[in-house]
Amino acid sequence: MNETQTTYYKTPIGIAKITGDENGIQSVTVLDETEVTQSDLNADTPEILQYCVTQLEEYFKGERASFDLTVNPKGTYFQKKVWKSLLNIPYGKTRSYLEQSKSLGDVKAIRAVATANGKNPLWIIIPCHRIIGSDGSLTGYSGGIWRKKWLLNHENPNKQQSLF
């Protein structure tokens, strides 16, 4: 049986807690700095998680737009199908929950799709932050709306400049 390994990586918007084993990355969650000890942050990164840390570093430096990792998230068949559909949203783009439901073939499943997005265990790697409300609002993000806004601005910094 594979032993699950854990490491912590400090990002501009919180601490990423990364877990995985030889079968892939199982989860990347975001924590506030008060939830992690300094010894956790200073601990050596297990070899099987190092590539994930490297890719997250590249993402936050603006050098990576997609991830090339073996992932092994825990979830139901439906959840995994929803999470896989999130990978089709290009870097710097967004889709609505309705558009995501349509792409999965069932517009009536919008609430189930939204619930599955909320259970996404692979923060940033499976980009649920790219899903917004049909009216363009930033809704439903387990990491906090401020983080969702930060991530979307990070991926698409070319906003209309004010003339005044």
Side-chain angles (χ1 to χ4, degrees):
M1 186 169 180
N2 293 328
E3 182 182 340
T4 300
Q5 303 285 317
T6 301
T7 195
Y8 298 88
Y9 164 65
K10 187 173 182 173
T11 78
I13 55 174
I15 306 297
K17 178 182 179 184
I18 304 163
T19 62
D21 61 22
E22 292 175 1
N23 294 320
I25 304 299
Q26 296 169 351
S27 69
V28 178
T29 55
V30 63
L31 306 170
D32 291 321
E33 291 191 30
T34 58
E35 298 177 81
V36 181
T37 67
Q38 197 60 43
S39 63
D40 286 335
L41 285 172
N42 292 335
D44 290 337
T45 299
E47 187 176 334
I48 60 172
L49 303 178
Q50 185 58 55
Y51 196 44
C52 182
V53 170
T54 299
Q55 289 194 27
L56 285 170
E57 287 174 345
E58 293 168 353
Y59 171 85
F60 283 109
K61 289 178 184 175
E63 299 169 354
R64 175 171 290 279
S66 63
F67 294 88
D68 178 26
L69 297 165
T70 301
V71 296
N72 188 21
K74 305 295 182 217
T76 66
Y77 171 80
F78 178 76
Q79 288 169 334
K80 289 178 181 181
K81 180 178 170 184
V82 169
W83 301 335
K84 187 174 182 178
S85 76
L86 292 167
L87 298 172
N88 296 324
I89 305 170
Y91 182 89
K93 303 293 182 188
T94 58
R95 299 287 181 271
S96 70
Y97 290 100
L98 181 60
E99 289 170 320
Q100 186 185 18
S101 295
K102 285 179 181 177
S103 76
L104 290 164
D106 188 356
V107 70
K108 294 178 183 175
I110 190 168
R111 288 180 189 226
V113 168
T115 298
N117 284 343
K119 295 182 185 292
N120 171 18
L122 289 163
W123 180 62
I124 298 175
I125 294 166
I126 296 179
C128 59
H129 61 277
R130 296 180 189 155
I131 297 293
I132 59 173
S134 294
D135 62 358
S137 62
L138 302 183
T139 61
Y141 191 64
S142 62
I145 296 298
W146 73 270
R147 284 188 177 106
K148 183 173 194 162
K149 183 177 182 179
W150 191 99
L151 291 166
L152 292 174
N153 286 337
H154 175 71
E155 292 183 5
N156 192 7
N158 300 324
K159 303 288 183 197
Q160 176 68 35
Q161 298 295 316
S162 172
L163 296 174
F164 303 99

